[in-house]
Every structure is written in C-alpha cells, then in structure tokens.
Amino acid sequence: MPGVNGFSPQEIAGLTSRAGIAKSHLRWGELIVKSFLGGVFISLGGLVDLIVLAGSPGLRSSNPGLATLIAGFTFPLGFVLITLTNMELCTSNMFVMPFTALQRKISILDMVKNLVVSYLANLCGCLFVAGFLGWWSDVFDTDTMSSYTVTQAENRVNVQWSVNLLRGVGCNFFVAMAFFLSIGAVEFVSKVYTIWIPVWAFVIAGYQHSIANYFLVPIGMFYGTNFGVGKFIYQSIIPVTIGNLIGGIVMASVPFWYLYGREEQVAPSVQTGQPVAEDEKVKKRGSRSPDSDDETVFSGQGSSSSGLRYDRTDMAQAA
C-alpha cells in the first residue's frame, strides 16, 4: 500500500482515466439505473439538509450562518452514497468524461452519451424523491417547514440569470475536486472525508448544483411557488447546468489534463498500490487471490488501441 495512504496527482489522473473508460463501457441499462439511483441519493442529502433548515426557524432568524453550517454538513451524504456504491452523477461526470476524452481514450460520442443519459436519469431520480419521499410522504408536515421549502426554491430561481450561471461554475469546481481527491484515497474513511469537505463548502457558499435543484426546486413548487415550470427552466436549469459544465470542464478537466494528463501515466491499482503492469505480471504468474472477482474492461469490443487493460473492481473502489 502507498506509504501516505493515497496517490500522487499524476497517479490519480491515471485512475481518473480508467474510471472514464469504464463509465464509457456501461451498458444502457446499467447507465440508466446507476444514474437514476445517483439522482435518488443526491436528493436524499438535499432532503436531510432541507429538513434541518426548515425545522430550525429560530436559528435561521437569529444566526443564519450557523444554521447553514449545520444543515450543510448533512448534504454531502448523497455524494458519499453515490461514490461508495459506484453510481453515476452527471456533474462529477462533467469532470471525468471530458478529462478522459482530452486524453483520446474515449470518443466525444461516448462522453456525450454518458452526460446526456446520466443527466436525464438523475433528473428522474430527483423527481421521484421530491414526489414520493418528500411531498407525498408529508415530510414537511408543519406550515413553517412547508413554507420554507417554498422560500428556498424561490431564492434559487428568482435571481439574475448570470448569478445562477456563476453559482453553477463554483459548485461544480468543488464537485470536481471532491471526485479527484476521493479517487486518491484508498479506504472509505479517507474517501468520505475528501468528499465531505469540498461539498460542504459549496453548500455553505450557496452555489447551485443542477441535479440537486431538480429536488430542491420541485419540492417547493409542490407547496406553491410564485413561478412556474417555464421560469424554472430558463432562470435556473439552463444557467446552472451551463455553469456546472464550465466548472467541470473549463476549471477542472482542462487544467488537470494540461498538468497531469498529457503524458501517459501508469495508473496504480487501488488494491495493491502497484502499477497496473505489475498487477498483470502477478496475475500471469498465478499469484492472484482465488476469491478475487475482478472484471476486466477493454476498450471497444476487444482491447484498447494502446493494449492496456482496465480493471473494473479497482475502478469501482476508486470512483
């Protein structure tokens, strides 16, 4: 295992590439189900955050910063569930898929397919939680709580278009950092910590997450907001989504590719801490553990153009 219980940025870049390649090889059904559950998980974090804020009117009025700090601490739950169960979240894919495409290890079509399908399935998962686990289950069962769901939704939509755009940029820059750092951790406690802090930070800052907004805004609309679907799309969905793309690609994928992705790096195994090539030698010598269930993923139908092999179990633990 690595001596510092983690990997260098160059090694993390290699693991990010392997994650992107594995994501591009997901079957349609796998991608849809993983993305739907990704939307469910991100909404569960938003649900807990909203319950804490909505149920603390006194703290919100007397010390709004402390209320945001405490409630925001619960929001990263969704990101942790997504990462540790290896589900698909479009906003984190806005970093890893363009990064891998810049290395020419996946095609533009692979990238677009993943982003579009994961976005739409994330949306469905968020609406499911908003409708079934939020509104119909009567979680916000007091007038104070239900009125706050309306207020927070209006605060997300009734702002300038450019403000939501920039809030989306800031949000996904933090999300990309959380993804990158979590891949560099080799065990669950470190992964949780590296995810929790950046996500907590963007919630405190009031940045906007396009997928989470598909839960936070509709739940307020169910209780009666002063805007309709059209304004939600134009004033929130469009600018925040564009901002998330800019934050994930321009502020994260491109600079990290420039720094660490232009030259081929030998990605380490998350299980052994050794380069993949060394793991392959061990396997060829018959030293592989008999209870190992590694699934090898190849580019295309057979093998990648470079002849490298990508281990799905390692990818699952890393991404």
Side-chain angles (χ1 to χ4, degrees):
M1 295 295 288
V4 296
N5 199 26
F7 298 114
S8 70
Q10 291 82 0
E11 292 170 327
I12 297 174
L15 289 170
T16 301
S17 301
R18 292 169 61 194
I21 292 169
K23 288 174 182 290
S24 72
H25 284 76
L26 289 173
R27 301 182 185 91
W28 284 96
E30 292 175 332
L31 179 57
I32 292 171
V33 173
K34 281 174 173 282
S35 300
F36 178 83
L37 290 176
V40 169
F41 290 157
I42 204 72
S43 298
L44 293 178
L47 178 66
V48 177
D49 174 275
L50 194 53
I51 288 173
V52 174
L53 276 176
S56 309
L59 184 60
R60 279 190 281 113
S61 61
S62 63
N63 198 333
L66 181 60
T68 302
L69 181 73
I70 294 173
F73 182 77
T74 66
F75 186 82
L77 164 68
F79 288 82
V80 170
L81 291 174
I82 289 169
T83 301
L84 299 188
T85 59
N86 195 29
M87 298 306 166
E88 294 291 305
L89 180 65
C90 182
T91 48
S92 59
N93 288 353
M94 288 176 185
F95 164 69
V96 64
M97 300 306 285
F99 180 89
T100 312
L102 284 169
Q103 294 183 308
R104 299 183 180 180
K105 294 183 178 180
I106 63 172
S107 68
I108 299 297
L109 182 60
D110 289 332
M111 179 185 72
V112 172
K113 166 197 167 185
N114 179 277
L115 294 181
V116 171
V117 174
S118 62
Y119 188 92
L120 294 175
N122 283 167
L123 183 160
C124 294
C126 290
L127 293 179
F128 170 80
V129 175
F132 288 92
L133 303 184
W135 186 53
W136 283 349
S137 62
D138 200 23
V139 171
F140 305 97
D141 55 355
T142 66
D143 291 339
T144 301
M145 296 181 73
S146 60
S147 65
Y148 182 75
T149 64
V150 174
T151 299
Q152 63 83 30
E154 292 175 350
N155 289 341
R156 294 174 183 276
V157 175
N158 295 330
V159 295
Q160 285 184 328
W161 200 92
S162 59
V163 170
N164 269 343
L165 173 72
L166 294 175
R167 287 178 178 177
V169 173
C171 167
N172 221 33
F173 183 58
F174 274 112
V175 171
M177 294 304 96
F179 181 93
F180 191 82
L181 293 173
S182 68
I183 287 186
V186 297
E187 38 84 21
F188 278 2
V189 174
S190 298
K191 286 183 181 296
V192 170
Y193 183 83
T194 54
I195 295 167
W196 211 280
I197 301 302
V199 174
W200 189 14
F202 92 66
V203 174
I204 294 172
Y207 292 147
Q208 298 291 307
H209 189 274
S210 58
I211 303 303
N213 279 357
Y214 282 116
F215 164 76
L216 294 168
V217 175
I219 191 67
M221 295 175 70
F222 291 154
Y223 288 102
T225 56
N226 59 10
F227 61 85
V229 175
K231 188 173 183 179
F232 173 39
I233 294 174
Y234 173 75
Q235 203 74 16
S236 176
I237 291 176
I238 294 175
V240 174
T241 301
I242 295 173
N244 286 167
L245 283 166
I246 294 172
I249 299 174
V250 178
M251 293 191 65
S253 292
V254 173
F256 275 71
W257 164 79
Y258 177 79
L259 293 172
Y260 308 122
R262 290 182 299 163
E263 297 181 0
E264 186 71 25
Q265 301 289 338
V266 179
S269 164
V270 176
Q271 292 177 330
T272 66
Q274 299 298 321
V276 174
E278 293 299 321
D279 283 351
E280 293 299 325
K281 292 178 182 178
V282 171
K283 291 176 184 178
K284 289 178 181 179
R285 290 198 301 266
S287 300
R288 181 178 174 182
S289 172
D291 58 354
S292 172
D293 61 350
D294 291 354
E295 178 181 357
T296 303
V297 179
F298 297 91
S299 176
Q301 298 298 319
S303 60
S304 68
S305 60
S306 62
L308 294 177
R309 304 176 67 186
Y310 298 90
D311 188 285
R312 180 170 291 190
T313 299
D314 285 353
M315 184 283 298
Q317 293 185 10

